[in-house]
Amino acid sequence: MKLFLILGIINGFFAVALGAFGAHGLEGKVSEKALGQWGKAVDYQMFHTMALLVTGLLMSKIQTGMMTSAGWFFFIGILLFSGSLYIYAPTGIKTFAMITPLGGLSFLIGWILLGYAVLKHL
């Protein structure tokens, strides 16, 4: 429980910091398309930061391995989805763009596990 709360707090901090960096540090240095990709990375990081926090809070009520797995899938999704876009947006290296869908898949699995755990145990 505490681990996912801490991961959520850390990711929330970095989502805000990276959002500000994108808005102020990258403007005029990368294309509008790249700024859009950066913004999408920030958005998805923040959405799934909230998922990590909710998962951590729900773990006090639902104690099942599905909750732990959901939290890890959200965290891995942030690393793969947002992380790959943070690298791809300013560099244009396509290899990183090919990693992004794996992060999206990880998010989907996390949501399925979280939903199933809530439906089954609450």
Side-chain angles (χ1 to χ4, degrees):
M1 175 179 140
K2 187 175 180 180
L3 175 64
F4 293 119
L5 294 174
I6 291 168
L7 288 173
I9 291 164
I10 291 167
N11 272 282
F13 172 87
F14 279 110
V16 172
L18 290 166
F21 175 75
H24 304 291
L26 292 178
E27 191 174 34
K29 295 180 178 138
V30 298
S31 69
E32 286 298 315
K33 181 179 178 186
L35 280 178
Q37 293 163 337
W38 188 276
K40 188 171 294 291
V42 170
D43 289 345
Y44 275 77
Q45 182 174 0
M46 187 56 83
F47 297 151
H48 291 89
T49 289
M50 296 297 115
L52 282 170
L53 293 171
V54 167
T55 300
L57 292 172
L58 282 174
M59 287 178 84
S60 66
K61 297 267 185 210
I62 303 171
Q63 297 173 355
T64 176
M66 274 185 282
M67 293 298 293
T68 302
S69 295
W72 283 117
F73 275 104
F74 291 138
F75 181 68
I76 291 166
I78 290 169
L79 294 177
L80 295 177
F81 186 93
S82 295
S84 64
L85 286 178
Y86 287 136
I87 296 169
Y88 174 66
T91 67
I93 299 171
K94 296 225 184 251
T95 304
F96 292 104
M98 294 169 32
I99 296 169
T100 307
L102 297 174
L105 180 61
S106 183
F107 287 149
L108 293 171
I109 293 169
W111 285 112
I112 289 169
L113 291 171
L114 180 64
Y116 185 76
V118 166
L119 288 173
K120 185 174 179 182
H121 298 285
L122 280 185

